[in-house]
Amino acid sequence: MMNALSKLPSVSHLLTHDRIEALVEAHGRAVITGLIRDQLASAREAGRNGAPIPDESSLIEDVSAAAQAQALPRLRPVFNLTGTVLHTNLGRASLPEEAIAALVEAARNPCALEYDIEQGGRGDRDDVVEQLLCELTGAEAATVVNNNAAAVFLLLNTLAHKKKVVVSRGELVEIGGAFRVPDIMKRAGAKLVEVGTTNRTHLRDFDGAISPRTGMFMKVHTSNYAIEGFTHAVPEHELATLAHEHELPFAVDLGSGTLTDLERWGLPHEPTPRESIEAGADLVTFSGDKLLGGPQVGMLVGRRDLIAQIKQNPLKRALRVGKLTLASLEAVLRLYRDPDRLSQRLTTLQQLTRPEAEIREAAQRLLPELKSALDAWPVDVEIVPLRSQIGSGSLPVDRLPSAGLAVRPQGRSGSVLNHLEARLRRLPKPVVGRIEDGALLLDLRCLPPEQEANFTAQLDLPQTPTR
């Protein structure tokens, strides 16, 4: 065995090989040298355990494969065929082309981020989007932080630190990642006061909870679940009136948030910041990367004096956003100024309003391609009607008529589906579907026609599972 191990090439010898030199040119000498050492160490360990010793050619192949694997970015684009449009694990909203162009331009050049070009002095980065946000929401002022959880935290920490915040018991939501309203309040230094019951809360419940230590009323939009049946919630205008009678601020956390009436496109209604402002809310928080269709941000809009206090909080600097986020957000907000063309220009709205008939036509185009790619697999492929969901806690009980491809095993064993699902995830651009009711489902709502060729071009699936 020692003789066999002694025949392993040295690091310096392998570095002179033509293929290795090409890898060095592509990935750097330090990276490739480290990979060679790793492969030689693995070969020695395997040899000591009685495994065959790889030859030079095999070692070079292993180094090349390892270099290619390391070069793949961790943040990889994927085909979202899950049927969830705003998929939290897949990055939520896809940006429109206008936002992408603005982001690239900001990345490439110095920008007037905190520089007032007209006055020639220091500016405020919120100025990039504040005027647009005020125009679109009817608020007096606005500020932006890195997500809506941060917006809620900053609001509470600024205006209700060591004070009581009155919230309906039925609105104490938890969203993904264990974000819970009671926990955020506690961390922000506010004391939660629950009123009402899970399904019914009345104005008298809020009135009875007011004390000298009350800091604000807060309403939380239950965007990721719905309570139906014998229910009652206090309208925002009533809460605002009661809060203002006692000189208390009234804040609304909309969670997902949208800047337009989705009903005009046949989608379910989702409350907007403008509606809350017009109802008397002093502050409204909402997200940018969900129904709004922009980058990940949290926005606070409302009274000028309260926004000014929030911006003076030292935590605001810790939670602020950078120029790339602001550039893309500004571009998305500008699209909302032209509502007549919004559904053609905003990617999220395009996906949400895509007609079922158009999606079915895509399925018909792709069916023979997928059947051919899976010819060696013991599966059947067919077009099926599906129900997409909006996702990211938005309109949770509503489903969108869709269509896609269903892959079903020919035998009773469902292991072939797990094998195939994993194989699709290992494609150059991973394909992410879902296994449900004994089938691998590929919902085509979020696969635009211009990407179909890229999808089919990589469907090289020769690996055959055990029958």
Side-chain angles (χ1 to χ4, degrees), residues 377 419-427 460-463:
W377 293 66
H419 189 86
L420 177 57
E421 188 268 343
R423 184 73 178 82
L424 289 171
R425 284 188 282 106
R426 292 196 295 268
L427 290 172
D460 180 21
L461 302 168
Q463 184 175 351

Side-chain angles (χ1 to χ4, degrees), residues 305-333:
D305 60 326
L306 298 181
I307 294 292
Q309 289 183 54
I310 289 170
K311 293 177 70 167
Q312 290 300 312
N313 189 322
L315 287 172
K316 171 63 166 65
R317 183 177 181 86
L319 302 173
R320 69 183 183 178
V321 298
K323 68 173 185 175
L324 302 185
T325 299
L326 285 170
S328 57
L329 177 60
E330 180 188 14
V332 169
L333 293 177

Side-chain angles (χ1 to χ4, degrees), residues 150-170:
V152 173
F153 180 88
L154 188 62
L155 179 157
L156 292 168
N157 184 259
T158 304
L159 303 177
H161 187 65
K162 296 184 178 179
K163 297 179 182 179
K164 295 181 177 180
V165 179
V166 186
V167 184
S168 170
R169 183 169 281 110

Side-chain angles (χ1 to χ4, degrees), residues 286-310:
F286 54 102
S287 298
D289 59 342
K290 298 180 182 177
L291 286 172
L292 195 143
Q296 178 185 295
V297 295
M299 287 163 278
L300 298 99
V301 300
R303 276 171 40 187
R304 183 174 290 106
D305 60 326
L306 298 181
I307 294 292
Q309 289 183 54
I310 289 170

